[in-house]
Amino acid sequence: MKLKEGAAFMMFQRKRVVFIFSAVFIVFSFSVYAQNTINPKHSDAGLTCKDCHATGTPDKKAPASTCKSCHSKEDLTKVVLFEDETGKKQNINPHDAHAGDLRCTLCHSIHGKSNLYCNTGCHHTFKYDVP
């Protein structure tokens, strides 16, 4: 009987070690993936996770104040040409939205594809490639 209990304990220990190593691997893989997905404009400027997230292992989005510390007021007042689904073209400043002061990351992403927040659940369908 003692032999069976010892074998069961060893099996439990092996599973525990495999679980711990798997968890460490997943966390490490996520951080490596995030580092490798910074878009070229930001990575070429030498930015790292810590520059925007204040930590080397981000757990939340960077605040708008971080974006605004590098991007000029001129960037935020620029009027751009938008085209809606009917082909109608309009000059709009997307940073002066009728929805109010929106978080930068609602449209812009340095880790993936940026998208126009106005097109998500809003009444517009603009054709515009968000940088």
Side-chain angles (χ1 to χ4, degrees):
M1 191 68 170
K2 284 197 180 250
L3 184 59
K4 277 187 174 180
E5 289 173 3
F9 178 75
M10 289 302 292
M11 182 62 86
F12 171 77
Q13 288 295 84
R14 281 190 198 131
K15 286 181 180 179
R16 189 171 156 202
V17 168
V18 168
F19 174 78
I20 290 170
F21 277 116
S22 297
V24 169
F25 176 76
I26 289 168
V27 169
F28 176 76
S29 297
F30 175 75
S31 67
V32 169
Y33 174 77
Q35 287 174 352
N36 291 333
T37 59
I38 296 175
N39 70 26
K41 182 177 181 177
H42 290 89
S43 62
D44 291 350
L47 292 178
T48 65
C49 298
K50 193 171 185 175
D51 294 313
C52 298
H53 297 277
T55 177
T57 53
D59 59 356
K60 59 184 176 180
K61 294 180 185 281
S65 59
T66 300
C67 302
K68 291 175 183 177
S69 70
C70 291
H71 294 276
S72 69
K73 181 96 170 143
E74 186 178 287
D75 289 339
L76 302 177
T77 58
K78 199 180 297 179
V79 174
V80 294
L81 185 65
F82 281 81
E83 182 180 341
D84 70 16
E85 68 275 4
T86 66
K88 181 181 175 188
K89 295 180 181 180
Q90 302 175 51
N91 286 313
I92 299 174
N93 175 355
H95 297 105
D96 186 21
H98 62 270
D101 191 22
L102 301 175
R103 191 176 71 242
C104 302
T105 55
L106 286 177
C107 293
H108 302 280
S109 174
I110 71 167
H111 298 292
K113 183 167 176 24
S114 295
N115 59 47
L116 189 62
Y117 177 71
C118 298
N119 289 346
T120 57
C122 196
H123 54 91
H124 298 291
T125 309
F126 290 116
K127 296 175 188 170
Y128 181 71
D129 288 328
V130 178

